[in-house]
Amino acid sequence: QSSGSGKSKICLEVLREHFGVYLVFRKTTDSGIPQKTTWSDSFVNFVFGHDASDDTPIKPILWKNSFAKEYSTGRVLMALNLVIETYFAEIENIKNEQKLSEIDAVSQVAKSMMQRPTYSITKLLDDLSFEKLNDDLISLSDIITKLSNTVSKLLNSKKFPFLFFVDEADLLNEFSSKGRVAGINVLRRALHLLDIDTNILVLAIGTNSDA
């Protein structure tokens, strides 16, 4: 859809009532609204800014016990797990500090994602960085299991999935290095590694985009 058709607005309305995160990518010169998430650059640098392989071996025996950070797909899953853990910690903080119900805390966080790059409402998401994951030696097999368990535990048996909106997702193709697999395909490949019952829904959005 074209700019101004309400894509981001729909994300906001859904996230005010359901667990999930909104991540928007922007070029440095782009003044579009909503402004880019504070941690979008950290996400790109972690996933694409290293010599991780974009091609996961076909035979599971060759990759399951390898370090997840050796693969760009593994790095996506590591980052996604940290985002989800941080999001739920943020919800708990706001519930406790402001004496809010869970649904009101969810709404608060959702509104903050659509405002300024630096939020006055949230703290943990605002300071989110993936650099510390460079030292994580979790295997690709284990991060797949951990992500599924993280979502299952934190959703507390809710049937509705954890939502992950990726706005202007086609920019992932520009942010990934030349000669490497397009960023949007790295994201897709990572999600294909997850077990079929992992309760996450990732939605790519773009303005006049193929993503």
Side-chain angles (χ1 to χ4, degrees):
Q1 288 283 6
S2 61
S3 179
S5 60
K7 300 183 298 297
S8 299
K9 175 66 172 176
I10 290 174
C11 297
L12 169 61
E13 292 305 320
V14 173
L15 291 178
R16 287 178 68 170
E17 297 186 10
H18 298 285
F19 295 132
V21 166
Y22 172 85
L23 170 60
V24 60
F25 293 104
R26 301 278 186 200
K27 294 180 180 178
T28 305
T29 56
D30 189 352
S31 59
I33 298 174
Q35 297 176 27
K36 72 177 180 180
T37 311
T38 51
W39 42 272
S40 60
D41 289 338
S42 180
F43 178 91
V44 169
N45 291 336
F46 175 66
V47 174
F48 303 111
H50 302 268
D51 295 328
S53 173
D54 294 327
D55 296 308
T56 309
I58 295 176
K59 294 183 178 180
I61 195 172
L62 296 177
W63 60 260
K64 279 200 168 184
N65 294 320
S66 301
F67 293 139
K69 67 178 184 179
E70 293 180 2
Y71 304 99
S72 54
T73 50
R75 287 173 174 267
V76 168
L77 300 182
M78 292 171 73
L80 187 55
N81 186 75
L82 181 58
V83 168
I84 294 172
E85 289 179 335
T86 305
Y87 169 85
F88 280 101
E90 190 80 272
I91 296 296
E92 285 301 309
N93 275 358
I94 291 178
K95 280 172 57 180
N96 296 331
E97 289 179 4
Q98 302 185 30
K99 309 301 181 188
L100 296 177
S101 65
E102 183 174 83
I103 190 62
D104 286 339
V106 167
S107 182
Q108 283 265 39
V109 174
K111 286 189 290 185
S112 74
M113 292 178 191
M114 297 291 170
Q115 294 171 357
R116 299 177 56 80
T118 303
Y119 317 130
S120 58
I121 299 175
T122 61
K123 300 181 180 69
L124 299 179
L125 282 170
D126 206 26
D127 295 330
L128 184 58
S129 171
F130 304 99
E131 290 305 309
K132 62 182 179 181
L133 294 178
N134 286 313
D135 298 323
D136 196 332
L137 299 181
I138 192 170
S139 70
L140 194 44
S141 177
D142 286 344
I143 190 59
I144 291 170
T145 301
K146 182 177 182 179
L147 183 52
S148 178
N149 290 341
T150 294
V151 175
S152 177
K153 176 183 177 182
L154 295 175
L155 284 179
N156 197 23
S157 301
K158 291 182 173 64
K159 292 183 179 181
F160 204 94
F162 186 90
L163 300 168
F164 196 76
F165 292 113
V166 185
D167 205 347
E168 304 300 352
D170 57 313
L171 286 179
L172 281 173
N173 296 342
E174 296 187 30
F175 294 149
S176 53
S177 304
K178 290 183 178 179
R180 294 183 62 174
V181 172
I184 193 66
N185 287 335
V186 169
L187 178 60
R188 290 178 61 204
R189 289 180 179 187
L191 298 175
H192 277 294
L193 292 176
L194 295 175
D195 296 329
I196 193 66
D197 59 349
T198 304
N199 207 12
I200 299 175
L201 175 63
V202 179
L203 180 63
I205 308 164
T207 303
N208 301 321
S209 159
D210 294 331

